[in-house]
Every structure is written in structure tokens, then in C-alpha cells.
Amino acid sequence: MLYLSTRGHSDRKRFCDILLEGLAPDGGLYLPERYPRIDDAALTRLRTAYHEQGYAELAFQILSLYIDDIPAADLKRLCEKTYTAEVFGTGEIVPLRHLEDGLWLEALSNGPTLAFKDMAMQLLGNLFEYELARRGEQLNILGATSGDTGSAAEYAMKGKAGVRVFMTSPSGRMSPFQQAQMFSLQDANIHNIAIEGVFDDCQDIVKAVSNDLEFKRRYKIGTVNSINWARLLAQVVYYFAGYVQATETNDQKVSFTVPSGNFGNVCAGHVARMMGLPIDRLVVATNENDVLDEFFRTGVYRVRGSADTHETSSPSMDISKASNFERFVFDLLGRDAARTQALFGDALARDGRFDLSADPHFAEAATRYGFASGKSTHADRLATIKDNFVRHGVTIDTHTADGVKVALEQRGDAAVPMIVLETALPIKFAETIVQALGQPPERPAKFEGIEALPKRVQLMPADAEAVKDYIRRHVPEAA
């Protein structure tokens, strides 16, 4: 299996090369040359793998379709090391919970940092450590987080041999719990950098540093954001797990509603659908930062500036530049790399927007690829959290509430189950839960008093050069 860039860079690379590289040299994102197709017999084997052998075996079988430069026995061992009941709190790993007729919740937040990002990041940490040991190399990970990616990456990478993490986050924009999870870590290989700006500023810094190819090579810069294909690939697995739990036969379809800001989570669903998983619709749920909802309604992709990026009660989606969206548009345009470069490399830099409303491909976003969308506000969030608590006895977090609200609007055919992807446990956003329910959510014992722990974080301006200087000072020598 070889991988190509969405912007047409001529090199074709294997999985372990792009695992350590992140962005392609031309600024594009990596995708496989083709999506492996799952026929009825293969889907039956995957269904059996999950029900009889568990999530780790399902992950191994799916990842094996994309990874041929890690020996099968080693890859299987990495999956078994990652997806355990000890790490994820249950042998099912991602159990489904029935909410009401036709509506299900897929629990993705049982990992170490209580967010769905653990599902991929725990595997990524093990993959990094394995491949770096094989090569005798080191890796300096530069990431950006709006809340959950950072803590998931840091908990997955702390203490890992050959890996340092430099994680940027928007100063003051995360919940107190999210900040405490990250900033309380004292491990020597973990560096937290609070940026004076919004998440998009952090993301721009990561891309700017990654596009400085000389610096990237000299300091061995890699990424853990979902621009890294390996992370997105790991997320494909839980779409298959949700499907085989919600259905009994392969002729049944399901739909998924996915709270989304950066398009990584739902892009994994797009990949699963392209592989042949019987997904009817992929519903994108946004908060007040509705860039993605606007595109799927109008065909216009319009990036907002920092001043127009709202600070909301679902802060992990306070994003106006959806990095992974480029992967979907590349497929939507028939894998036309020149047009993708013109849109994401040129039009956005020049105009901050592009318009596909008159393009014949735009209609295919819904008809061929199954996408729909909706938007949720703070008032919707509060009402949905309260409704689910009163009617179902279930407390959901603010981002999952955005998903449930939009899912109820988009549910459609009752014969097609709608699965909402849970994004985090409610304790991460306790202030809003108290506002909705008048009482705090349950807090896992291991996180008692986390907000009072000493914090280790460096405040910096939104300046890529300042971040590069910090990396230079904290990497002992250019490897």
C-alpha cells in the first residue's frame, strides 16, 4: 500500500514513512492510493472478529489492509497491547448504549483522558515507539489542541522512548479540567505551550513549522494531529465496531452523527464508507463555529478569522479551519490534486474561502458520499443535556449534546439506526453540566483534585518562529 499527497507531490510513500512525517512536503495530506474494498464475506469476518475475539482483533484486521511494512505478528501485538480492558475500562472498548427508538450512543471516552482521542492516540504512541526503535531514531512531536488531542497525545507519549511532545493550545480557551490534565504533567519529554490566540493560530503554527522542510528534517518534527494519517486510520476501526454492534446482517445500513470541528473524526467515517461499510449518512454536527455546516448547506467553505471564532461551551470544536476537510474535498473532486492545491493552497491563502456551489461535484457530497449537517447552540446544548438526563438517565458532555441534537433532527428512516459518536465524558466540561442540571457530573477517582496540581506550561505569542526557538532550546541536539 502506497500513499499520495492531496496536492500532487510526486513521491509515493509507505505507511511507516508517513507515520513519522505528518504533512506531505507540498503541504498536502496523505491518503492511500486506493481504499481497500470490504465485500460481504470480509465484512462477515470482521463481524466475527469483533464478537468472538474483540476490538483488538478487529483493529488488526482493518489496519492490516493499509499497513504492509510492519510484520503482521508485530502489528497484531501492537493492537493487543493498545486495546485492553485495563486501558479502556471495558472489554467491549466502544460499547453501544441505546437512547431511544433508532438512536444509539457509541461510547468512545473510556480511555485514560476520558475523550475519544484516546482511541487513536494510544495506538499512535505504541506505533511511534515501535518504529523509532526499529530505526534507532528520535521524534519531536509538534501538535495543536483545542482541548482533547493534547491530553490524549501527552498521556499516550509520556515516558515513551525516543519521543518528545511540544503541544500548543489556545491560552484560556480550554475548560479548567482540560487544562489541568495537560499542564499538570511533569514528565521531562512533555512540553506544553499556551498560545495567545485561538486554536486556528495553534494549527497554523504547526503547519508553518511542518512546511519549513529544513527545520522539520533537522529537528525530526512529526505530528499527532489528525493531519497524521495513522491517527485517522485508527479511528476508522470504531465505525466498523459500531456497525457490527448495531446490526445483525450485512444488508442493514446505519448512519452516524459526529460532533466535528476539524473534520478528522467524521473523515474516518468517510474512509470507512469508501471501504464499503454500509453507512447510509454521515451527519456533521457543529457548534456556533459552523464552517462545516455552512459548506454542506451552501457549497461555500469560508474560514473565519480569530476575532470571529466563537468561544463556546463545546470548546474542542471552536475551530474555523478544518484541516482534514482537504482529504474529503480531494475525493469529492475525483482526486484532482491540482484543483485541491488551487483551493486549499491558493484560494484560502488569497481569499479565505472557496465556493463549490456551482460545481457538479458538490451535489455528490450528499448523494454519493452521504453527508448531511446541522448546527447546535449553547441553548440547544443545555436543553439536550437536560433532556437526556431526565428521559434516559444519561449525562452527556457538551460536544456529544451537539451531536444528539443534530441527530434527532436528521434521524430519518427509523429502520436505519442513527449512532451518535460520544466525544468525551461530562466531567471535562463540568461548569456547563452544572448549568444544565444543577449538579456536577461524576468525577473518576483518579482525577480528584487535578485542578489544584502544580502546572508546567510556557505562554507564547502566536508566532511560529518563537515556537521553533523553543524547540531548538529543548532538543539536546539535532538528530
Side-chain angles (χ1 to χ4, degrees), residues 32-82:
E33 286 187 317
R34 58 176 179 79
Y35 295 112
R37 292 290 297 177
I38 301 294
D39 60 16
D40 185 69
L43 185 54
T44 296
R45 287 195 297 272
L46 293 173
R47 184 185 296 277
T48 301
Y50 179 78
H51 287 304
E52 295 186 1
Q53 297 173 269
Y55 191 92
E57 178 63 22
L58 176 68
F60 166 66
Q61 292 198 23
I62 292 172
L63 295 177
S64 296
L65 300 173
Y66 291 91
I67 303 173
D68 56 13
D69 50 351
I70 295 177
D74 290 355
L75 183 59
K76 185 178 180 70
R77 189 161 51 247
L78 287 168
C79 290
E80 290 171 346
K81 177 181 178 181
T82 300

Side-chain angles (χ1 to χ4, degrees), residues 172-190:
R173 288 263 184 163
M174 299 186 296
S175 75
F177 189 95
Q178 288 175 311
Q179 292 180 60
Q181 275 189 309
M182 292 173 56
F183 300 164
S184 64
L185 291 178
Q186 304 296 318
D187 302 76
N189 71 325
I190 302 297

Side-chain angles (χ1 to χ4, degrees), residues 390-408:
V390 171
R391 291 200 298 122
H392 308 309
V394 176
T395 305
I396 56 177
D397 88 285
T398 53
H399 308 73
T400 306
D402 290 334
V404 171
K405 184 263 184 183
V406 173
L408 289 170

Side-chain angles (χ1 to χ4, degrees), residues 73 88 96-97 116 119 142 269 313 354 417 425 428 434 440:
F88 288 95
L96 284 191
R97 171 181 281 174
F116 81 95
M119 294 301 304
L142 177 62
S313 52
F354 59 76
L425 293 193
K428 303 195 82 166
V434 171

Side-chain angles (χ1 to χ4, degrees), residues 237-257:
V237 179
Y238 53 68
Y239 282 88
F240 281 84
Y243 176 82
V244 300
Q245 289 180 83
T247 63
E248 295 181 356
T249 61
N250 297 344
D251 58 356
Q252 296 176 269
K253 286 192 171 186
V254 302
S255 294
F256 289 89
T257 296

